[in-house]
Structures are given as structure tokens and as C-alpha cells.
């Protein structure tokens, strides 16, 4: 398993070792000891989530605040998505910056998003099955979010914004300047 730190400290692209033969493939998607060595800290995941979406669906940018903050390990089981993390740590050199990566069932890459980040993804293929592990339980009262088209963030979604399918809840999220504080 290879861990590649992004320009956002603590965010990692993870390339698992994949063993292929004429039967298909085998890979280890998570190993607590390997993961701890790779990112430099122990993470204990407590919840798994999965979503299925159509092309153009944008989910996010969401986060959990305070004691309910969550780190996530995300991957795509079917299809292709543009995955995005936004640094919301107030003392970070990259506060308000984002990192994006294409995750596909074929490339089998994973993305580790630590606590203190907003997270979202856009489905680029006809459909996608998205899977993620969280290190803290979801808490509705601690939920926050950022509007996908915040001009301060200037996220390149690689798709014309007119074609996006966005929930009513996500259409009215605040900008970074007006967001519920993560810390």
C-alpha cells in the first residue's frame, strides 16, 4: 500500500497493492497497522457508509463540527467520481484550499480526508457506488456544509455547473465566509 500526501497536510491518496490473475483481483483496502504507519497516526473507524448516484450528482461539501468531527477513508466500488476535500482548519497554511482526485473502480485509489475538512464528490460516470469509512459517528446537530460554487473556493468540478444534480439542502449551504465553524 502506497501513501501519497497531498498539498493539504494530512490528506492522503492511497494506492493499495492489487494482486491480479485470470480469476480477477484481490486487494487489502484497509489494515489498521499499515494505515497508522502510512499516515503517521492511529485511526479507529466506527462507521461504514455507501451511496449510489447517477451522473452529475454532487454530494457535499459536508463536515461534522467539534467533538463529532469525522475523518473519512473514501473509495469508489463502481464508476468514477471527482472527490474533493476543503481544508477548514483555522491555523492551517492551506485553510480554504482544496484538493481533488479522480477515484474509479478501475484505479482503486482511496482518499483519506482527516478531521477538519469539508468533503464532497461529483459522479462523472453514468452511475457510481461510493463507499467510505468514518472515525466518528454522524451527529445531525454537528453537521455543517459549504456551497459547491463558493467563488472563494473556486472548485473546478470538471463539469458545467448547469448540469449538476444537487439536493435542495446542498443548494442553500453557506459560503466559506459564512459557514458553521469546524473548530
Amino acid at each position: 500500500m502506497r501513501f501519497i500526501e497531498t498539498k493539504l497536510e494530512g490528506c492522503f491518496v492511497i494506492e493499495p497493492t492489487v494482486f491480479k490473475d485470470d480469476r480477477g483481483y484481490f486487494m487489502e483496502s484497509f489494515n489498521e497497522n499499515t494505515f497508522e504507519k502510512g499516515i503517521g497516526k492511529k485511526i479507529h473507524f466506527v462507521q461504514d457508509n455507501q451511496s449510489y448516484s447517477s451522473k452529475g450528482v454532487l454530494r457535499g461539501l459536508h463536515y461534522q463540527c467539534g467533538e463529532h468531527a469525522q475523518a473519512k477513508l473514501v473509495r469508489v466500488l463502481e464508476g468514477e467520481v471527482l472527490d474533493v476535500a476543503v481544508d477548514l482548519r483555522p491555523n492551517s497554511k492551506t485553510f480554504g484550499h482544496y484538493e481533488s482526485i479522480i477515484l474509479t473502480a478501475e484505479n482503486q485509489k482511496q482518499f483519506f480526508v482527516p478531521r477538519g475538512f469539508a468533503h464532497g464528490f461529483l459522479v462523472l460516470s453514468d452511475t457510481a457506488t461510493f463507499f467510505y469509512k468514518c472515525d466518528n459517528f454522524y451527529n445531525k446537530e454537528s453537521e455543517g456544509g459549504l456551497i459547491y460554487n463558493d467563488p472563494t473556493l473556486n472548485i473546478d468540478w470538471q463539469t458545467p455547473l448547469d448540469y449538476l444534480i444537487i439536493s435542495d439542502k446542498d443548494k442553500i449551504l453557506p459560503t466559506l465566509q459564512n459557514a458553521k465553524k469546524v473548530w
Side-chain angles (χ1 to χ4, degrees):
M1 198 172 281
R2 190 170 148 216
F3 293 80
I4 306 156
E5 191 164 23
T6 69
K7 66 183 179 204
L8 305 178
E9 184 183 344
C11 272
F12 288 85
V13 174
I14 301 163
E15 296 176 342
T17 302
V18 181
F19 302 95
K20 295 181 182 182
D21 62 23
D22 58 346
R23 299 169 296 163
Y25 74 88
F26 172 84
M27 69 175 221
E28 185 176 75
S29 60
F30 177 76
N31 175 306
E32 190 173 84
N33 293 330
T34 304
F35 199 79
E36 182 178 353
K37 288 177 191 169
I39 69 165
K41 64 189 220 179
K42 190 171 188 77
I43 299 288
H44 177 73
F45 293 109
V46 298
Q47 181 177 326
D48 285 349
N49 300 304
Q50 185 171 320
S51 69
Y52 177 81
S53 305
S54 300
K55 185 173 192 161
V57 168
L58 190 151
R59 295 185 183 264
L61 299 156
H62 303 142
Y63 57 89
Q64 294 278 294
C65 300
E67 68 185 74
H68 299 286
Q70 294 177 319
K72 296 177 182 177
L73 177 60
V74 304
R75 65 188 177 122
V76 171
L77 302 176
E78 177 255 328
E80 178 179 356
V81 306
L82 175 70
D83 200 67
V84 176
V86 178
D87 190 346
L88 299 180
R89 301 169 298 177
N91 298 322
S92 170
K93 295 179 277 187
T94 55
F95 175 82
H97 294 211
Y98 76 93
E99 181 75 39
S100 64
I101 180 172
I102 301 284
L103 301 175
T104 71
E106 287 75 34
N107 73 20
Q108 297 174 326
K109 291 180 181 178
Q110 299 178 83
F111 193 37
F112 176 70
V113 181
R115 292 181 179 197
F117 283 75
H119 174 258
F121 66 91
L122 171 66
V123 178
L124 301 174
S125 53
D126 288 338
T127 60
T129 302
F130 190 82
F131 179 84
Y132 60 103
K133 303 173 105 33
C134 299
D135 77 335
N136 206 351
F137 296 105
Y138 170 78
N139 181 280
K140 186 170 180 54
E141 291 76 37
S142 297
E143 184 176 34
L146 301 175
I147 190 76
Y148 67 97
N149 60 354
D150 183 338
T152 304
L153 300 175
N154 196 29
I155 295 171
D156 178 5
W157 290 104
Q158 301 182 16
T159 300
L161 298 185
D162 297 352
Y163 293 103
L164 301 182
I165 302 166
I166 303 165
S167 72
D168 290 341
K169 174 182 131 182
D170 287 352
K171 287 179 184 175
I172 60 169
L173 289 172
T175 61
L176 177 63
Q177 183 178 7
N178 298 313
K180 185 176 184 180
K181 304 301 182 205
V182 174
W183 50 99

